[in-house]
Amino acid sequence: MDRRDFIKKTALAAVGTAVAAPVSAMLTGTESARSLKSGKALKVLLVNGSPRNDGNTFCCLKEIEAQLQKHGVESEIVQIGFKPIRMCINCGGCRRNNGGGCVFTDDTCSVITQKMAEADALIVGTPVYYGQPNGGILSLMQRLFFSSGHLVQNKPAAALAVCRRGGATATLQTMNMMFEMMNMPVVTSQYWNIAYGAGKGEVKLDTEGMQTMRTLATNMAFLLEKIHANGNPAPQREERPAFMNFIR
């Protein structure tokens, strides 16, 4: 064993000891993520940003769903499907709609908006297209957050990206920037939330990627339990000042 291999194996062993124990001790049993305030199971909305209902992105979401179930957290996977999704045209109609959401109600965005009102957290999966999220999921998220941002405030969120080879990190950065603007705690995993696969179902062969999805689900359940323990209120924030534009 050369010096490089020795250092690598020693570091991996140390990380495994430090990380594995806390994660395994985070949650035990299927009742641990119950809301102590209402006794109702917490729920995570999972959005499949791929038009393929049973492709690699769906496989990742199913892995997360199974792990959430082990921790007593309910979930629902919603597909964006094949139909067109309108982009936000900045018409201002949602502002005049008195919090009623986007004025366009003829696509998946309205379905997601209704489900988000009942969900306690959000996980969005997307394939990588040209180093970016799928255009459909971007249009959906931008409209949801702009028209109904009050429904997502303070709710934990995470994104995951599936790619054949590259572009996943840029895709994750794009998705996370939206969460950060909405006061949504971003849930992490043991690595970036990335899995690799090209052919249908091939992502299941990425054993590290699948473990990353399970760890993400465990961390999500852990955070939800802490947030909802004893009915903890959302933090009080400063009143937002006028927008500071760089060019006046």
Side-chain angles (χ1 to χ4, degrees), residues 16-60:
T17 301
V19 174
V23 169
S24 63
M26 281 180 182
L27 296 165
T28 56
T30 58
E31 299 299 321
S32 54
R34 298 279 173 173
S35 169
L36 300 182
K37 181 178 180 180
S38 64
K40 181 182 177 182
L42 300 169
K43 184 175 182 179
V44 179
L45 180 63
L46 307 174
V47 180
N48 181 4
S50 170
R52 297 179 179 176
N53 292 341
D54 58 352
N56 286 322
T57 305
F58 179 73
C59 290
C60 290

Side-chain angles (χ1 to χ4, degrees), residues 8 23 40 64 93 132 145 171 194 206-207 212 215-216:
K8 181 178 180 180
V23 169
K40 181 182 177 182
I64 291 171
Q132 305 166 76
F145 286 179
T171 297
I194 297 170
D206 181 5
T207 55
T212 298
T215 303
L216 169 61

Side-chain angles (χ1 to χ4, degrees), residues 103-158:
V103 295
F104 297 127
T105 59
D106 56 352
D107 62 16
T108 308
C109 184
S110 61
V111 176
I112 300 295
T113 301
Q114 294 173 10
K115 293 182 179 297
M116 196 65 235
E118 302 297 327
D120 300 291
L122 174 67
I123 296 179
V124 183
T126 177
V128 175
Y129 291 175
Y130 295 95
Q132 305 166 76
N134 175 7
I137 196 65
L138 277 178
S139 293
L140 187 152
M141 299 304 294
Q142 289 170 2
R143 275 178 55 209
L144 169 65
F145 286 179
F146 188 73
S147 67
S148 304
H150 62 285
L151 297 179
V152 302
Q153 291 285 329
N154 304 306
K155 295 181 179 180

Side-chain angles (χ1 to χ4, degrees), residues 183 237-245 248:
N183 288 308
R237 299 191 175 91
E238 297 180 17
E239 183 178 349
R240 188 166 184 171
F243 287 104
M244 297 294 295
N245 299 326
R248 295 181 175 275

Side-chain angles (χ1 to χ4, degrees), residues 3-26:
R3 181 174 178 272
R4 178 179 297 177
D5 288 337
F6 175 78
I7 294 174
K8 181 178 180 180
K9 290 185 177 182
T10 302
L12 288 175
V15 170
T17 301
V19 174
V23 169
S24 63
M26 281 180 182

Side-chain angles (χ1 to χ4, degrees), residues 47-239:
V47 180
N48 181 4
S50 170
R52 297 179 179 176
N53 292 341
D54 58 352
N56 286 322
T57 305
F58 179 73
C59 290
C60 290
L61 293 173
K62 289 295 290 184
E63 193 76 9
I64 291 171
E65 183 178 57
Q67 189 72 4
L68 287 172
Q69 186 176 12
K70 292 180 180 179
H71 297 308
V73 179
E74 293 182 358
S75 61
E76 179 183 5
I77 299 177
V78 181
Q79 317 282 353
I80 66 168
F82 296 95
K83 295 181 180 180
I85 299 177
R86 293 175 179 268
M87 67 178 184
C88 178
I89 61 172
N90 195 24
C91 66
C94 56
R95 298 292 185 264
R96 298 188 295 272
N97 202 18
N98 295 323
C102 184
V103 295
F104 297 127
T105 59
D106 56 352
D107 62 16
T108 308
C109 184
S110 61
V111 176
I112 300 295
T113 301
Q114 294 173 10
K115 293 182 179 297
M116 196 65 235
E118 302 297 327
D120 300 291
L122 174 67
I123 296 179
V124 183
T126 177
V128 175
Y129 291 175
Y130 295 95
Q132 305 166 76
N134 175 7
I137 196 65
L138 277 178
S139 293
L140 187 152
M141 299 304 294
Q142 289 170 2
R143 275 178 55 209
L144 169 65
F145 286 179
F146 188 73
S147 67
S148 304
H150 62 285
L151 297 179
V152 302
Q153 291 285 329
N154 304 306
K155 295 181 179 180
L160 66 94
V162 179
C163 67
R164 179 190 69 85
R165 185 173 177 85
T169 52
T171 297
L172 283 178
Q173 290 167 359
T174 299
M175 298 297 294
N176 285 339
M177 288 179 75
M178 290 187 281
F179 301 147
E180 292 175 7
M181 287 188 67
M182 304 306 295
N183 288 308
M184 304 178 77
V186 178
V187 181
T188 59
S189 185
Q190 64 194 31
Y191 193 75
W192 298 298
N193 302 328
I194 297 170
Y196 293 88
K200 181 179 178 179
E202 192 174 68
V203 72
K204 294 179 181 178
L205 301 177
D206 181 5
T207 55
E208 183 177 351
M210 291 296 98
Q211 186 182 62
T212 298
M213 299 302 142
R214 293 192 297 272
T215 303
L216 169 61
T218 295
N219 290 346
M220 173 65 81
F222 173 75
L223 182 57
L224 277 173
E225 181 187 25
K226 297 303 180 184
I227 290 175
H228 290 271
N230 302 318
N232 290 330
Q236 296 295 317
R237 299 191 175 91
E238 297 180 17
E239 183 178 349

